[in-house]
Amino acid sequence: MNFESLEVWKRAARLSADIYKNSTITKDFGFRDQLTRAGLSVPSNIAEGMTRDSDKEKVRFLDIPRSSLAEARTQIYIGIDINYIDSNIGQLWLCETSELSKMLSSLISKIKERI
């Protein structure tokens, strides 16, 4: 399966781009860097995982973006709390990270059935 055809990859790439676009005003470069790196890790590792030869490797690599989503969610919560992230935007990102995590869990389960 081509990673570009996966809805989870498409949505993760859009979220990553949205995080980049909306975090440019943040003057705290450490915070911005950490959040954008976590967001960028998600579609990047989905792509890398789906190009692996073995299903075992695919599962291992797809678990990484699931963890990156948890990292990003934590940073979003903190960013909202300290007024680095607009509450409305942050809530949208929290919903999307939750949905993406569920989508990845489902994809991982499907792949594990083949192992």
Side-chain angles (χ1 to χ4, degrees):
M1 177 178 284
N2 188 326
F3 71 86
E4 289 106 331
S5 67
L6 292 173
E7 187 64 25
V8 68
W9 177 82
K10 292 175 188 176
R11 286 174 61 175
R14 281 194 303 268
L15 175 62
S16 180
D18 198 39
I19 288 170
Y20 267 92
K21 289 176 193 172
N22 284 284
S23 64
T24 57
I25 59 169
T26 303
K27 300 289 188 246
D28 184 334
F29 300 113
F31 180 86
R32 182 173 71 197
D33 184 56
Q34 191 72 21
L35 178 58
T36 55
R37 285 163 53 107
L40 185 59
S41 171
V42 178
S44 300
N45 279 293
I46 292 169
E48 187 171 358
M50 292 308 293
T51 59
R52 293 294 171 157
D53 289 331
S54 77
D55 286 340
K56 188 175 179 180
E57 281 187 290
K58 282 183 173 100
V59 167
R60 184 172 67 85
F61 273 88
L62 290 174
D63 195 43
I64 295 168
R66 199 166 46 171
S67 297
S68 293
L69 285 165
E71 180 183 357
R73 286 177 63 80
T74 299
Q75 294 159 1
I76 294 165
Y77 279 119
I78 293 167
I80 292 168
D81 196 44
I82 61 176
N83 296 315
Y84 281 7
I85 298 172
D86 176 84
S87 182
N88 292 327
I89 292 170
Q91 291 303 319
L92 291 173
W93 291 349
L94 290 171
C95 288
E96 186 65 358
T97 55
S98 179
E99 286 296 313
L100 290 169
S101 184
K102 290 174 189 173
M103 292 170 79
L104 280 171
S105 292
S106 177
L107 180 58
I108 289 168
S109 292
K110 282 183 179 180
I111 295 170
K112 281 183 174 180
E113 289 174 3
R114 301 188 311 225
I115 297 175

